[in-house]
Amino acid sequence: MTSSTVFPAGFLWGAATAAHQVEGNNVNSDGWLLEHLPETIFAEPSGDACDHYHRYQEDIALLAGLGLNTYRFSVEWARIEPEEGQFSLAALEHYRRVLSTCREHGLTPVVTYHHFTSPRWLLAKGGWEDEGTPDRFARYCERVTRHLGDLIGAACTLNEPNLPGLLVTLGIGGEPPERRGQVPIWAAAARALGIAPARVAPFQFTSSEQGFEVKLAAHRAAVAAIKSGPGDFPVGWTLANADIQAGPGGEERAATIRREVNERYLEVARGDDFVGIQTYGRMRYGPAGILRADEGAEQNMMGDELYPEGLEATIRQAAAVAGVPVIVTENGLATADDAQRIRYVERALRGVARCLRDGIDVRGYIYWTALDNFEWVFGYRPTFGLIAVDRATQERTVKPSARWLGEVARSNGATLE
Ligand code: BGC
């Protein structure tokens, strides 16, 4: 069956992971450092994760066997450049084997160059607020592309540079430099790195204006570096865009957040080959801040309301503001109820289909995530995966939702109609 559907031929149907969340033992990264501080805010350390570093062949074969045609994953800067200026050929060769495995299985590899974690040495230099970081990132991107570019299908420079801005509205992070010393984890990180607390700026928690400027410059420099080749594939950045809505009296606040957290990052994507949209639901604001989900609303396992229609809204916003093709680089649900996951994705995909019907250029839908994995500060409890992982044995179990999405992919969306 091919596309008698609204989904265009060549539509990317995939699943995503990120190195730190699945590979295991990313010991040279800032994430590993933060997880192991006594003052950590992480529920547990990442440890072996899903041992994807060694089991990628099995995992890629599983995804291809389901019927998907795309695998989005990230390459880990902390492995590729373990000390500043020192590149590991062994690590680059590892990712070459991962890419070749995708190609052998007919999967288009979508490669994220930076997915939240950075080398520990970068954090010691002031991380994502330091003026030297865009050049450092560009040098790394140039080196990675030189080694891997001929096999890459599409590239994401930075993953969710705007997430910290969204987290601040939930009361997480956002301390200005002069106050970081009062926050136990940043004070401890500063001691471990031998720097002033004001200089602690990890990617995931940096929401300052300086952080915005550094990430923007890093993206631009990365695009140029990646375009130097080899390879000729689309390049863009991926954004954490919730559907920002106003509750009663919250119009002004919602408009400000929409502008600060979504639109100004979408504007950066103008002129890029695509923008990656990553949406999990909606966020509603009243005059005093975020509003809780309505009583009785269906929830995910993290207590958030289920709102798959948010994806349609963020795709429409992205197309209107950025004016470039959209790839849904993440959308998914943390749930222990796999039937609920199928219902969620089905509703989200119906929204994608409505966008396509209206002539919006959407190029792919990549589910987050392939494997149940390390969900950052929440540890391993939330399960977003299409495939379950027994972390004691590393045994993989394919969930019904994975087979369902595989069938949708094989029919290029026809089974949704
Ligand atoms: C991130 C992923 C994360 C997912 C689910 C996105 O913010 O890119 O790394 O696991 O959302 O929370």
Side-chain angles (χ1 to χ4, degrees):
M1 242 191 287
T2 47
S3 38
S4 57
T5 74
V6 68
F7 292 89
F11 192 80
L12 303 173
W13 295 97
T17 62
H20 189 78
Q21 295 176 269
V22 293
E23 285 183 348
N25 300 299
N26 188 15
V27 299
N28 199 35
S29 67
D30 57 356
W32 189 271
L33 168 74
L34 299 178
E35 289 159 28
H36 289 271
L37 294 170
E39 298 80 355
T40 191
I41 54 172
F42 286 77
E44 57 188 317
S46 50
D48 282 339
C50 307
D51 194 25
H52 182 66
Y53 199 80
H54 301 105
R55 293 169 196 265
Y56 67 90
Q57 283 172 308
E58 175 189 350
D59 295 335
I60 289 170
L62 276 176
L63 296 176
L66 292 170
L68 301 178
N69 62 27
T70 299
Y71 177 40
R72 173 176 178 242
F73 63 94
S74 72
V75 293
E76 183 59 49
W77 190 359
R79 294 189 197 273
I80 293 174
E81 192 179 357
E83 292 296 338
E84 186 168 16
Q86 185 191 311
F87 289 89
S88 164
L89 209 51
L92 286 165
E93 274 298 298
H94 167 80
Y95 290 115
R96 221 182 140 76
R97 289 192 292 275
V98 177
L99 282 157
S100 300
T101 306
C102 290
R103 293 296 186 184
E104 281 155 24
H105 285 278
L107 295 180
T108 298
V110 175
V111 176
T112 306
Y113 281 59
H114 185 276
H115 195 122
F116 292 164
T117 44
S118 307
R120 189 180 158 127
W121 61 259
L122 189 89
L123 200 61
K125 297 208 165 203
W128 292 91
E129 282 175 348
D130 188 72
E131 284 180 352
T133 290
D135 283 349
R136 297 181 187 114
F137 185 56
R139 182 182 50 188
Y140 153 75
C141 290
E142 188 274 330
R143 191 70 192 80
V144 169
T145 311
R146 194 162 12 113
H147 207 86
L148 307 177
D150 58 318
L151 293 174
I152 293 175
C156 313
T157 56
L158 297 174
N159 181 71
E160 300 191 344
N162 62 335
L163 176 68
L166 207 57
L167 293 181
V168 170
T169 73
L170 299 173
I172 303 168
E175 298 81 15
E178 64 279 8
R179 286 227 322 271
R180 288 182 196 152
Q182 293 154 32
V183 182
I185 184 168
W186 308 138
R191 280 195 298 278
L193 295 163
I195 60 175
R199 298 267 294 151
V200 178
F203 188 91
Q204 242 179 317
F205 301 100
T206 298
S207 60
S208 60
E209 271 310 299
Q210 172 70 5
F212 173 73
E213 295 299 335
V214 168
K215 289 172 180 176
L216 165 66
H219 170 64
R220 294 240 194 276
V223 172
I226 295 170
K227 292 280 181 187
S228 69
D232 181 18
F233 46 84
V235 185
W237 72 353
T238 68
L239 302 178
N241 283 4
D243 178 10
I244 307 292
Q245 298 186 356
E251 289 76 12
E252 212 180 300
R253 183 178 283 261
T256 306
I257 295 169
R258 212 178 289 125
R259 159 102 215 108
E260 291 293 300
V261 179
N262 289 6
E263 286 168 7
R264 68 175 175 153
Y265 289 85
L266 287 168
E267 284 164 7
V268 173
R270 288 178 184 160
D272 283 347
D273 300 323
F274 73 93
V275 62
I277 289 303
Q278 315 198 150
T279 302
Y280 290 84
R282 68 173 166 185
M283 290 171 87
R284 284 162 67 230
Y285 296 88
I290 191 106
L291 298 174
R292 305 265 327 142
D294 293 339
E295 208 141 310
E298 194 181 1
Q299 294 177 359
N300 68 10
M301 71 196 301
M302 291 150 99
D304 306 317
E305 170 202 22
L306 245 69
Y307 190 73
E309 286 68 29
L311 181 60
E312 177 179 353
T314 58
I315 292 172
R316 289 182 188 278
Q317 183 191 32
V321 178
V324 296
V326 174
I327 301 176
V328 178
T329 39
E330 286 184 27
N331 172 248
L333 183 69
T335 181
D337 173 0
D338 196 52
Q340 188 186 46
R341 174 174 295 104
I342 295 176
R343 289 198 301 275
Y344 174 93
V345 177
E346 187 167 8
R347 277 166 59 187
L349 283 172
R350 288 192 193 289
V352 176
R354 283 191 290 274
C355 292
L356 286 165
R357 244 173 247 128
D358 287 345
I360 297 175
D361 187 356
V362 189
R363 303 263 169 107
Y365 176 88
I366 304 177
Y367 180 80
W368 181 270
T369 177
L371 306 165
D372 286 341
N373 65 37
F374 181 67
E375 179 53 23
W376 306 112
V377 294
F378 301 102
Y380 286 96
R381 195 183 62 82
T383 46
F384 282 89
L386 296 173
I387 300 169
V389 177
D390 178 332
R391 294 194 53 258
T393 62
Q394 293 293 351
E395 194 190 334
R396 273 63 170 151
T397 307
V398 171
K399 302 181 191 178
S401 57
R403 299 194 201 286
W404 176 85
L405 186 61
E407 285 312 309
V408 174
R410 280 186 213 278
S411 76
N412 202 29
T415 55
L416 291 169
E417 290 178 0

